[in-house]
């Protein structure tokens, strides 16, 4: 699958203000500055679609992008950003939690993890929350160009090993570089597979 059209739709402060949930949706989440917005721009090959920044805390709302008039990609604020006030952090966390728990059309959440680091407690804790809420997710190890391929792969492996201590099933993961366009084909191929599954399930319901 390629991205033919990618349009910014709306930025919403809460899940009830998001677009009608009538298309498959894929959300990108992870700590502040991990590269969520950059990855969305890389996938859509549009460097100005999602706003990126060197300073953490750039994305502050739930941002919907419509791809090929067929599915939504959603850019979310980061978690665990220490430099905003406790109040702001609580507002963001509530917004993220409300969105993830209540968004009916959400197919999977791509959880971004910085491939330069060893497994971080905050990321593992976030996955635990997704598990508690019964939300499907996949891991994306970002910024692979910032270290050697070997190092990035090692950190991805270590993270998965840490997950195995508490997870029976390890979802599919991806290693990406927004600079080198690594992982783009794989993520788009995976989204296509899921879109097809959603369409198939929808037609079965219509037939019954
Ligand atoms: P918030 O919205 O603030 O939570 O951040 P974010 O997760 O959306 O990160 P963003 O995409 O804004 O990227 C943060 C910084 O990391 C920017 O300076 C990007 O240029 C840089 N960056 C993101 N992805 C990559 C990557 O794959 N490789 C390199 N070298 N830099 C990256
Ligand atoms: Mg962002």
């Amino acid at each position: 699958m390629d991205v033919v059209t990618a349009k910014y739709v709306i930025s919403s402060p809460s899940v009830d203000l998001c677009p009608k949930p009538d298309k498959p949706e894929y959300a990108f989440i992870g700590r502040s500055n991990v590269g969520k917005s950059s990855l969305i721009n890389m996938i859509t090959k549009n460097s100005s679609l999602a706003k990126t920044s060197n300073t953490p805390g750039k994305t502050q709302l739930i941002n919907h992008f419509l791809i090929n008039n067929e599915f939504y990609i959603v850019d979310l604020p980061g978690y665990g950003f220490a430099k905003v006030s406790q109040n702001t952090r609580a507002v963001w966390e509530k917004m993220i939690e409300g969105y993830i728990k209540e968004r009916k059309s959400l197919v999977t959440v791509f959880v971004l993890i910085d491939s330069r680091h060893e497994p971080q407690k905050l990321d593992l804790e976030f996955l635990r929350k997704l598990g508690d809420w019964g939300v499907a997710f996949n891991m994306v190890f970002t910024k692979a160009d910032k270290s050697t391929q070997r190092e990035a792969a090692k950190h991805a492996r270590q993270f998965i090993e840490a997950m195995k201590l508490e997870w029976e099933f390890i979802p599919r993961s991806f290693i990406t570089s927004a600079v080198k366009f690594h992982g783009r084909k794989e993520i788009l191929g995976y989204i296509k597979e899921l879109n097809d599954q959603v369409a198939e399930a929808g037609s079965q319901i219509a037939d019954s």
Side-chain angles (χ1 to χ4, degrees), residues 20 37 56 63 84 94 101 116 167 196:
K20 205 163 80 179
S37 304
N63 299 286
V84 293
K94 238 178 135 192
K101 279 162 81 173
R116 290 173 298 174
W167 292 87
D196 290 348

Side-chain angles (χ1 to χ4, degrees), residues 159-168 170:
F159 191 88
I160 287 165
E161 286 308 313
M163 278 181 76
K164 282 185 182 161
L165 300 175
E166 48 187 308
W167 292 87
E168 234 168 86
I170 305 295

Side-chain angles (χ1 to χ4, degrees), residues 33 35-38 50-53 57-60 75-78:
N33 213 242
K36 300 173 290 294
S37 304
S38 303
K51 291 197 186 79
T52 65
S53 169
K58 181 69 184 173
T59 309
Q60 308 201 346
D75 193 12
L76 293 169

Side-chain angles (χ1 to χ4, degrees), residues 43-133:
I43 287 173
T44 56
K45 285 198 179 162
N46 181 338
S47 59
S48 55
L49 192 66
K51 291 197 186 79
T52 65
S53 169
N54 273 321
T55 324
K58 181 69 184 173
T59 309
Q60 308 201 346
L61 293 164
I62 305 165
N63 299 286
H64 275 78
F65 302 99
L66 178 60
I67 314 301
N68 297 350
N69 278 321
E70 190 193 351
F71 64 95
Y72 287 115
I73 278 184
V74 172
D75 193 12
L76 293 169
Y79 52 78
F81 177 38
K83 283 194 184 143
V84 293
S85 71
Q86 233 171 15
N87 185 40
T88 306
R89 219 182 330 165
V91 169
W92 288 4
E93 273 168 22
K94 238 178 135 192
M95 174 164 59
I96 294 169
E97 179 173 338
Y99 167 79
I100 291 177
K101 279 162 81 173
E102 289 166 37
R103 188 70 172 162
K104 299 272 183 292
S105 48
L106 192 55
V107 180
T108 193
V109 178
F110 288 103
V111 180
L112 276 61
I113 298 149
D114 195 323
S115 71
R116 290 173 298 174
H117 308 305
E118 299 200 334
Q120 306 273 305
K121 211 168 119 209
L122 196 65
D123 294 324
L124 288 161
E125 275 169 7
F126 186 74
L127 296 189
R128 217 167 285 149
K129 277 200 223 171
L130 292 179
D132 290 344
W133 301 337

